[in-house]
Amino acid sequence: MTSLDGLSSIFPSQRFVRDAAFQAAFESDGLTAFRAKPLAVVIPETADEVVAAVRWCHENSVPFVARGSGTSLSGGSLPVADGIVIALNRLNRMIELDPSERIAIVEPGVVNQHVSDAAAPHGLYYAPDPSSQSVCTIGGNVAFNSGGAHCLKYGMTSNHVIGCKAVLATGEVVTMGGRSVEAVGPDYTGLFCGSEGLFGIGLEITLRLLPKPERFHTVLVGYQSLLAAGDAVSAVIDSGLLPGALEIMDALAIEAAEAAVACGYPPGAAAVLIVELEGPEEKIEYERRQLNEVLATTGAFAERVAVDEADRLSIWRGRKSAFSAVGRLSPDFLVQDGVVPRKRLGEALVRIEQMSRESGIRVANVFHAGDGNLHPLIMFDGKQQGALERAEELAAKLLRMCIDMGGSITGEHGVGVEKRDFLPEMFDPSTMAMMERLRLAFDPKLVANPGKMFPSTEAPSLGLSGLHPLEKAGVISRE
Amino acid sequence: MSETVAVPENLDALQTLLASESVVLPVGNQTKLPLAVDEHARLVSLRELSGILEYEPSEFTFTAYAGTPVAEVNEVLRERQQYLPFDPMLVKAGATMGGSVAAGLSGPGRFRYGGLRDFLLGIKFLSGDGEVINAGGKVVKNAAGFDIPKFMAGSLGRFGVMVELTFKVFPLPSHRQTIAVQCSSLANAMQRMSDAATSRWELDAIDYRPGTNTVFLRVAGPLEVNQVLVQEISDLWGQDVKPMPDAEAFWQSVVELDWSDSDLSFAAKIPTHPVVLRSLVPWAEQTAGVDLHVSVAGSVAWALCESQHEVDQLDHLLAENSTAGLVVRGDCRQPKIGFWAKQDIASAVKMAMDPTMKFPQL
Ligand SMILES: Cc1cc2nc3c(=O)[nH]c(=O)nc-3n(C[C@H](O)[C@H](O)[C@H](O)COP(=O)(O)OP(=O)(O)OC[C@H]3O[C@@H](n4cnc5c(N)ncnc54)[C@H](O)[C@@H]3O)c2cc1C
C-alpha cells in the first residue's frame, strides 16, 4: 500500500482523515450509484496546503480528486480508489469583491449562491445559476463549466470567469487571465474552465458580476401538446426577443412537480412553457406586449403571468423541483443532459416518446428549451433485476440521438465517469488524440482525476440513480 | 520570406501546402500586420477559403470559412435582424473571421453580452501535422471535452490553421442611441463609467476618450425605450450630457481604430483595470504622438501611436504595471509588449497542440 507519510506531515491530523466512517461521506457524488473509497481525505485550509498536497501527489504518482460539494451528476468528484480526495470546502474566503470593477475574487470552496449574496448590496449578482447553487462551489462550477436556466442570454460559467490562479497537476502554479474581461494571447482561462479537474485545482477565481435586472416578466403557458410548446419556443425566438429563460416541462414532469410542491400549473396541460424576460422597467413593458402577441398565435390554452416576485418564485418552484419530484413517481431514475439543435427539439421529443414506449420505460422531460438542452429523466426500479441496465441502454440511445442530430452529449453536467465512453462518439479520433495530448501536457503522470472524461478501464462505468442525499433532505433540487 | 503569401484555394491545397512547408503562419487579409508576418515562416492566407457554410437564424448560429470577411457576415446577419454583439474589429479594413479569432479582438459592444471568446462555439482546424481537428460544437450549449475553441481566441495563429468557425449570434436591437458625457477628470470619468455599468439601464456600450474627457454611452433596444433611458441619464448628469447625432460614425472609427486625425499608424490593445488606467491615461495625455481610447467600461484601452518610439515607451510602462499589450497595427518589431508571464505550461501546451512545431513560437 502507498505510504502517505509525506502527505500526512503537510496536514494536522484532524485534517488528514483515514477514518472509515468520516470518509464514507466522500465515497460518491451526485451520481449516487457509484462508490469508491479513497486512501485518505485531506482538508486544506489554505492555497499553500493545496499546492503542497498536489506536489506531493505528483512526486509520488498518487492520484487526487479535487472535491467541492460533491454534487456532480456525472461522477466527476467520485474518488479514485488508490488516490486521495482534496476537499476544498474550507477554502471558502471571498478574497475581494470590487463593486466598481464588478468583479469578485473567490477561493474555490465558496458556494455559488454566496457570491450573489455578497454582491447583492451593490446591486450586482453572479449570473450562472445551476439549481444546486445553494450548495455547489465555484471550483466545481469552473471545473464543469456549469450552466443553469439563463444560459441562452448569459452563457455558461466560462463566460463569467475572467481569471484563475491554479496549481496544475505538475505542481506548477499558474495565473491565467486577470482583472479585465479582455486579455491578449491564447485564452488559458477559457481552456481551464470545463477541464473537469483533469488539469489541476483552481485556487483563486476571478468572476465577473452583472447588475441585477430591474424587472422580471415571467409567464407560464399551458399547451395541449409537447410539440405546440416546442413550436412556441421557435416563435418566441423568431420574433427577435431574447428571453432570459425559456423552459419546458412535459406532462409527467408537471405531475411530479404538482405532487411535490403543488405549483398550480394549468390542469390537463401536456406541456408548460416558462418564458422570462428581464431588464429595465420600460423595456420589459415594451417586450411583454411583443411577447403577448407572439404567444397569442401559439395555440396555448392557459396563461399565467407572475403578478409579483412571490408569484414568480412560485412558478419557478414547480420547474426547479421537477427533478427531485420525479423521485415520487419512481424509486430510481437516471437524469440525462443532452443537447440538440433547437429546431430539432420537437423531433427529439417524439423520438424520446417512441423509445420510451418501445422499452416500456417511463421518461419525464424537463428542458432548457431556449438552448436545446434536454434533461430526460429515465425512471426505473433498481430492485428489479436488470432494470438499471435497461434504463442505461435507453440513456445511451438518447445520447446517440443527440450526437446524430448534431448536438452534444452534455450541455452542463459534464462528461465525468458517466459519459466518458461517449466522448469518442462525439469527437473524431484526431480530435480525441489532441485532447489526450492536452491532458498529458497538464498532467503527464495522469494523477489529476483519472478515470474521468476519457474512456478507460480505470474504473467501471455506471449510471445515476436516485436522489442526491441533499435532495432527499430537501436542501437542493435539480434542473 | 514574409513577402510571398501563399493562397490555397481549398482544404486539399491547404493540406498539401502545410505538408510541404517547414514553418507556416496562417493569416487572413493581414489587417493586423504585426500579427501576420514572420521572418522564418511561410505565410498562408485563408482568404480564398471564404463564405458562409450554414446559417440557421432560429438556432442563433452560423458556420463560416475562416477566410470569410467579417463585413460579409455582418451583412448576412443583418438581413435576418441578427448580429455578433461583440462588435468585431477592423471590419472595413477587411478583417476575416479567422483573423479576428486568432487576434482575439472585440469592440465596444463587448460590454453588454461578452467578447468574441464568448460567442465562439466551434472550430474546425488543421494541426501542424495536417490532421483535421473538430473542436467544440455547433450548438449554442455544449460542455463536452476541453474547450479548445476558447483557447484559440487570441492564440495568434500559433497552434493551428483555422478553417471553419461556428459562432453564436443574437437578435439585433432595432435602434441604438448614443450620448456623450463631458467629465471633469479621469477620476470623474471612471466613477461615471462604473455608475453607468452598474445601473439599471443595461447599456450596450460604455467608452471613454481621455483626450476630450468624454464618456460615451450607447443604449440599444426599441426606440421609445432608448429615449426614456437617455432622458433619465440626461436628467442625472444635466449639462454634461450631449446627444451624438453622428454616433454610428464614431463607433465605427473605434472599431476601425481610425478615430485620430493625425497619422498614427501604430495601434496597440491593452487589457486594463483602474490601476493600469491611472498610469496609462496620464502618460498618453503627456506624450505627443499618442491617442488613447478606453473601451468596455474601462476594461480595454486602444493606443494609437505615431512611431515605434511611443510603442517602446508604452512597452516600458506596461512592463512596470505587469500588464501585457499587443500591437495590432504598424510596422513594428515585436507585437508583444509589456509583461507577458512565462509559464512552463505554455510550452507543454504548444508541444501538445503543435507537436511538429509547424507554427512559429509566440
Ligand atoms: C440537485 C442537483 C441539481 C443540479 N443542477 C444543476 C444545474 O442546473 N446546472 C448544472 O450545470 N449543474 C447542475 N448540477 C450539477 C452540479 O451541481 C454541478 O456540476 C456543480 O458545478 C458541481 O459543484 P460541486 O462543488 O458540487 O463540485 P464537485 O461535485 O465536488 O466536483 C465537480 C468536479 O469539479 C472538480 N473540482 C471541484 N473543485 C475544483 C477545483 N477547485 N479545481 C478543479 N477542479 C475542481 C471535481 O474534481 C469534479 O470533477 C446539479 C446537481 C444536483 C445534485
Side-chain angles (χ1 to χ4, degrees):
Chain A
M1 191 162 171
T2 318
S3 160
L4 300 180
D5 290 351
L7 183 67
S8 65
S9 68
I10 300 170
F11 296 92
S13 59
Q14 71 277 18
R15 294 195 283 111
F16 174 88
V17 185
R18 305 195 72 171
D19 170 73
F22 181 86
Q23 277 196 35
F26 295 88
E27 274 175 16
S28 80
D29 60 11
L31 191 59
T32 43
F34 221 21
R35 290 176 191 285
K37 259 199 183 37
L39 293 179
V41 177
V42 300
I43 308 171
E45 288 184 344
T46 64
D48 287 345
E49 287 178 347
V50 179
V51 174
V54 168
R55 287 188 177 154
W56 182 89
C57 287
H58 175 72
E59 273 153 29
N60 296 278
S61 300
V62 172
F64 64 88
V65 178
R67 188 179 175 101
S69 294
T71 64
S72 161
L73 289 173
S74 55
S77 42
L78 186 80
V80 179
D82 56 351
I84 64 157
V85 167
I86 303 182
L88 296 162
N89 296 75
R90 293 206 190 165
L91 267 83
N92 60 357
R93 279 160 288 243
M94 199 87 65
I95 299 167
E96 185 184 339
L97 192 147
D98 190 319
S100 68
E101 282 185 60
R102 301 170 310 287
I103 59 169
I105 304 178
V106 305
E107 289 189 330
V110 167
V111 167
N112 173 302
Q113 179 66 52
H114 295 175
V115 180
S116 286
D117 292 347
H122 309 284
L124 300 169
Y125 79 116
Y126 174 63
D129 63 339
S131 304
S132 49
Q133 72 185 139
S134 60
V135 287
C136 68
T137 65
I138 295 296
N141 293 173
V142 169
F144 268 7
N145 194 8
S146 299
H150 294 85
C151 293
L152 179 64
K153 188 168 179 180
Y154 294 107
M156 326 220 300
T157 296
S158 68
N159 304 111
H160 301 269
V161 174
I162 62 173
C164 182
K165 180 177 159 190
V167 53
L168 304 180
T170 52
E172 183 187 0
V173 175
V174 295
T175 303
M176 301 168 275
R179 298 176 78 94
S180 170
V181 294
E182 275 292 294
V184 288
D187 190 341
Y188 283 92
T189 317
L191 182 63
F192 191 80
C193 284
S195 58
E196 301 200 5
L198 270 63
F199 286 171
I201 300 186
L203 300 172
E204 272 180 27
I205 300 142
T206 306
L207 306 171
R208 155 176 107 101
L209 304 173
L210 298 180
K212 273 199 284 190
E214 181 181 30
R215 172 86 186 275
F216 291 96
H217 174 66
T218 311
V219 193
L220 176 78
V221 202
Y223 292 93
Q224 245 119 26
S225 79
L226 204 46
L227 211 56
D231 289 345
V233 170
S234 299
V236 171
I237 291 288
D238 290 339
S239 76
L241 286 165
L242 181 60
L246 267 171
E247 305 278 313
I248 293 183
M249 287 163 69
D250 74 359
L252 210 47
I254 299 170
E255 183 192 326
E258 210 60 70
V261 295
C263 45
Y265 284 5
V272 290
L273 167 68
I274 300 174
V275 190
E276 185 163 272
L277 302 171
E278 50 184 49
E281 180 87 40
E282 300 83 352
K283 189 167 189 185
I284 296 314
E285 207 38 62
Y286 184 94
E287 289 187 340
R288 65 183 289 171
R289 276 179 270 142
Q290 212 179 331
L291 180 64
N292 280 347
E293 278 166 30
V294 178
L295 290 178
T297 65
T298 59
F301 78 95
E303 191 179 304
R304 174 176 148 204
V305 177
V307 290
D308 54 25
E309 183 61 13
D311 202 22
R312 169 179 176 248
L313 293 180
S314 89
I315 289 178
W316 275 111
R317 193 152 48 242
R319 168 64 186 83
K320 297 231 171 191
S321 73
F323 277 29
S324 334
V326 166
R328 292 173 174 251
L329 301 186
S330 169
D332 299 287
F333 61 90
L334 300 180
V335 53
Q336 266 314 331
D337 169 43
V339 182
V340 298
R342 188 167 38 224
K343 67 170 185 290
R344 300 188 72 173
L345 262 181
E347 189 189 338
L349 292 168
V350 169
R351 280 177 60 184
I352 294 174
E353 206 168 36
Q354 201 180 345
M355 286 183 221
S356 163
R357 232 184 3 249
E358 281 166 15
S359 60
I361 298 173
R362 289 198 301 168
V363 179
N365 283 292
V366 174
F367 42 97
H368 307 301
D371 30 41
N373 191 181
L374 307 162
H375 286 321
L377 288 139
I378 305 166
M379 300 181 224
F380 67 100
D381 181 353
K383 288 194 288 296
Q384 280 176 16
Q385 183 78 25
L388 171 64
E389 289 71 20
R390 283 194 297 280
E392 283 184 330
E393 250 167 61
L394 181 58
K397 273 193 196 157
L398 281 169
L399 289 178
R400 294 201 170 101
M401 173 193 78
C402 293
I403 297 173
D404 289 345
M405 287 187 169
S408 172
I409 56 171
T410 171
E412 54 182 21
H413 296 170
V415 178
V417 180
E418 184 206 20
K419 282 180 281 210
R420 59 185 183 166
D421 290 335
F422 295 89
L423 200 67
E425 295 190 30
M426 182 168 159
F427 293 105
D428 49 38
S430 53
T431 308
M432 282 301 295
M434 174 156 292
M435 290 202 270
E436 275 165 27
R437 291 203 301 272
L438 266 173
R439 177 190 182 189
L440 282 167
F442 283 88
D443 181 15
K445 291 190 171 175
L446 299 186
V447 288
N449 214 5
K452 318 294 170 69
M453 194 192 283
F454 292 95
S456 84
T457 49
E458 291 158 40
S461 279
L462 79 148
L464 154 74
S465 60
L467 292 176
H468 188 271
L470 288 168
E471 286 178 286
K472 282 192 184 137
V475 179
I476 42 173
S477 58
R478 73 181 81 168
E479 206 164 286
Chain B
M1 216 193 247
S2 283
E3 298 81 53
T4 56
V5 180
V7 189
E9 293 195 338
N10 53 40
L11 188 62
D12 284 347
L14 175 63
Q15 271 173 311
T16 309
L17 198 74
L18 205 60
S20 65
E21 297 287 341
S22 57
V23 184
V24 165
L25 182 65
V27 303
N29 276 331
Q30 292 180 295
T31 57
K32 296 157 281 277
L33 198 61
L35 311 178
V37 289
D38 188 279
E39 278 178 45
H40 309 290
R42 178 66 189 263
L43 303 183
V44 176
S45 171
L46 273 283
R47 65 174 177 256
E48 286 294 316
L49 280 163
S50 171
I52 295 171
L53 291 156
E54 285 169 46
Y55 174 32
E56 292 282 354
S58 64
E59 288 304 317
F60 281 0
T61 58
F62 74 87
T63 301
Y65 278 121
T68 314
V70 178
E72 182 180 328
V73 169
N74 281 352
E75 197 175 313
V76 170
L77 294 179
R78 182 174 276 275
E79 277 165 22
R80 303 299 299 264
Q81 305 325 309
Q82 294 189 332
Y83 76 136
L84 289 165
F86 57 85
D87 278 348
M89 303 282 289
L90 298 167
V91 183
K92 282 224 147 130
T96 62
M97 294 307 294
S100 302
V101 172
L105 306 186
S106 304
R110 196 227 191 274
F111 172 73
R112 177 70 182 97
Y113 292 112
L116 181 146
R117 74 187 286 271
D118 300 302
F119 284 83
L120 180 60
L121 300 172
I123 304 184
K124 173 173 169 177
F125 67 96
L126 293 183
S127 59
D129 49 4
E131 293 278 346
V132 179
I133 312 291
N134 286 288
K138 289 193 168 177
V139 280
V140 292
K141 197 174 187 188
N142 171 26
F146 298 138
D147 199 344
I148 298 175
K150 283 231 165 43
F151 179 78
M152 296 293 267
S155 65
L156 305 173
R158 267 64 176 180
F159 298 89
V161 185
M162 292 184 275
V163 179
E164 290 174 20
L165 304 160
T166 301
F167 275 91
K168 168 165 138 172
V169 298
F170 271 172
L172 181 71
S174 61
H175 295 82
R176 314 209 290 196
Q177 199 171 329
T178 301
I179 48 173
V181 186
Q182 184 62 52
C183 298
S184 55
S185 63
L186 171 61
N188 178 237
M190 287 190 2
Q191 183 62 49
R192 281 179 169 175
M193 278 197 283
S194 161
D195 290 350
T198 45
S199 71
R200 70 177 200 97
W201 308 320
E202 293 198 346
L203 295 172
D204 191 51
I206 302 177
D207 278 28
Y208 168 55
R209 184 67 58 73
T212 56
N213 235 327
T214 314
V215 166
F216 300 90
L217 306 178
R218 185 167 85 199
V219 288
L223 183 66
E224 60 195 74
V225 177
N226 293 350
Q227 283 167 346
V228 176
L229 295 178
V230 161
Q231 188 56 51
E232 180 173 313
I233 302 171
S234 306
D235 291 345
L236 180 69
W237 288 326
Q239 295 287 311
D240 290 341
V241 180
K242 299 272 179 315
M244 285 262 295
D246 52 351
E248 290 307 318
F250 166 80
W251 292 113
Q252 188 181 314
S253 75
V254 175
V255 161
E256 300 298 327
L257 297 175
D258 67 358
W259 69 82
S260 176
D261 295 333
S262 324
D263 183 19
L264 307 177
S265 59
F266 291 76
K269 171 186 172 176
I270 305 136
T272 48
H273 53 83
V275 176
V276 177
L277 284 178
R278 279 194 279 271
S279 76
L280 186 62
V281 170
W283 167 78
E285 281 175 357
Q286 288 151 21
T287 311
V290 176
D291 198 349
L292 197 71
H293 182 88
V294 177
S295 196
V296 194
S299 296
V300 64
W302 301 97
L304 302 187
C305 300
E306 193 172 354
S307 69
Q308 184 68 43
H309 176 67
E310 292 81 35
V311 174
D312 289 342
Q313 283 186 19
L314 179 61
D315 178 26
H316 190 72
L317 180 130
L318 295 183
E320 274 177 358
N321 279 280
S322 303
T323 294
L326 187 70
V327 183
V328 298
R329 197 179 66 203
D331 180 14
C332 89
R333 294 187 292 271
Q334 164 62 279
K336 283 161 63 179
I337 55 171
F339 172 76
W340 286 61
K342 283 204 177 38
Q343 311 194 114
D344 294 345
I345 188 61
S347 41
V349 167
K350 171 73 175 162
M351 283 305 293
M353 292 194 62
D354 181 21
T356 58
M357 295 302 250
K358 183 69 76 176
F359 309 105
Q361 293 278 5
L362 203 59

